[in-house]
Amino acid sequence: MSETGDSGGFAPIQALGRLAPYHWSAGLVMRGLAELRIADQLAGGPRTAVQVAAAIGAHAPSLHRFLRVCVLHDLVTAEEGGRFALTDRGALLRSDVPSLRGFTIAVNAPGMTRPWEQIADVVRTGRPASEQVLGTSHWDHYAKHPAEARAYVETSATLSAEAADALVRTIDCTGVRRVVDVGGSPGTVLAAVLDAAPQAHGVLLDLDWAVPYAEAELARRGLAGRTETVGGDFRVAVPPGGDLYLLKNILCDLDDDTAATVLSVCAAAAPAGGRLVVVDWEDTGDTSHVHANDVEFMVLTGGRVRTGDEYEELLRAAGFEQVRRTRLSGFDRAPIVVLEGRRGTHD
Ligand SMILES: C[S@@+](CC[C@H](N)C(=O)[O-])C[C@H]1O[C@@H](n2cnc3c(N)ncnc32)[C@H](O)[C@@H]1O
């Protein structure tokens, strides 16, 4: 807000009027820009809508009108001669460099946006909306919508890469022989652990639809010979005999009862003394970006972001002892906690 009480040159009511319409929001405009691969076309320099439309096979007058809305979200700028230039923000939607293009498409896909349309109901009832609006759970929706699944998995790989590198600097991988990554697709985290533990073999469990993505990634990383993949439901069973069980960003998607079930399933599969490592968003008490993730889980799956104490309590209740807690460095805006426990010797 400026000193005069304006917001971006608008009176508050006008500013809110421009913020309120969901379908004008940066998210959906970015999704259009990303799907049309417009940023790729502008990466080499400013071009007119006619030039871009010819390259991407679009209706030039409509593209021109759409690009003017992209200007409002600082994705492009309008230049002389009717040309549009890419901004630094818009460049993050290119498809030919590591970018947030996949993320933008994935988080604005119907599997995510349609449950969010029920936000008032979710808040009223305390129940997630996916089943009600999609007719299936959040994760099973991907089995029926491969394009959304692909965008989600690509995003997951991009977003997990940095955390996976931080994780292998945080936990001790010395002497690990058999790592079981529970809900591990697309394999980014398992690959990082196996790179840090060259003596280890890896097993990745995920839902059937997600397994091929993990297989492709593990093969791409040259790890096909050191890994096996299993399709299944971690609420029912996980592969036995691991000396290290990994659950990264799994508990945040689960309500307390299901989280307790999954941890008990892991405890039953692990040998006495077997290690469990939970890596997840942490509610540190301060308002942070993690609270947006928290509401996302509330809406989509009924999960939630927990405090370190809450995670620790879940681990201990499932029979994991000697619980140690640390945090991944470099994730201050959305803290990520790491809890390590060992399965007790008693059953
Ligand atoms: C938020 S992602 C985390 C992926 C990975 N651990 C990471 O951090 O990159 C959750 C994963 O759990 C898998 N998943 C969800 N429900 C599952 C279930 N009931 N059984 C097995 N996997 C499941 C999803 O398919 C997805 O790959």
Side-chain angles (χ1 to χ4, degrees), residues 139 152 160 183 185 206-207 232-235 248-250 253:
W139 295 112
Y152 170 77
S160 283
S185 190
D206 211 298
L207 296 168
D233 184 340
F234 55 43
R235 294 167 298 185
K248 180 174 165 301
N249 291 132
I250 299 301
D253 273 320

Side-chain angles (χ1 to χ4, degrees), residues 48-215:
T48 63
V50 172
Q51 290 170 323
V52 175
I56 64 173
H59 180 242
S62 300
L63 178 62
H64 183 82
R65 291 159 68 186
F66 174 65
L67 284 169
R68 290 189 304 200
V69 178
C70 294
V71 172
L72 291 181
H73 290 303
D74 191 29
L75 298 164
V76 300
T77 53
E79 306 291 319
E80 282 180 4
R83 292 177 309 155
F84 293 90
L86 203 56
T87 61
D88 288 347
R89 183 187 282 188
L92 291 173
L93 298 179
R94 285 171 62 176
S95 71
D96 54 344
V97 293
S99 78
L100 290 180
R101 178 176 179 270
F103 173 79
T104 299
I105 294 173
V107 297
N108 290 297
M112 296 225 188
T113 56
R114 289 191 53 215
W116 264 92
E117 286 168 11
Q118 307 304 317
I119 183 69
D121 258 4
V122 172
V123 171
R124 269 189 213 108
T125 64
R127 286 197 295 274
S130 296
E131 293 269 2
Q132 179 201 334
V133 299
L134 304 174
T136 182
S137 74
H138 171 69
W139 295 112
D140 289 341
H141 174 81
Y142 287 127
K144 296 184 191 139
H145 296 85
E148 284 187 44
R150 174 170 294 281
Y152 170 77
V153 170
E154 283 171 6
T155 300
S156 196
T158 310
L159 297 182
S160 283
E162 211 182 325
D165 289 345
L167 177 65
V168 295
R169 289 195 300 271
T170 305
I171 61 169
D172 183 6
C173 296
T174 319
V176 174
R177 285 172 296 102
R178 181 174 156 92
V179 191
V180 180
D181 194 354
V182 177
S185 190
T188 319
V189 180
L190 182 60
V193 172
L194 291 177
D195 284 347
Q199 73 290 347
H201 183 84
V203 187
L204 184 148
L205 170 87
D206 211 298
L207 296 168
D208 286 337
W209 66 263
V211 167
Y213 294 105
E215 286 173 346

Side-chain angles (χ1 to χ4, degrees), residues 295-309:
V295 176
E296 182 97 317
F297 306 137
M298 177 173 92
V299 171
L300 299 181
T301 63
R304 68 190 182 90
V305 173
R306 296 175 173 86
T307 64
D309 285 348

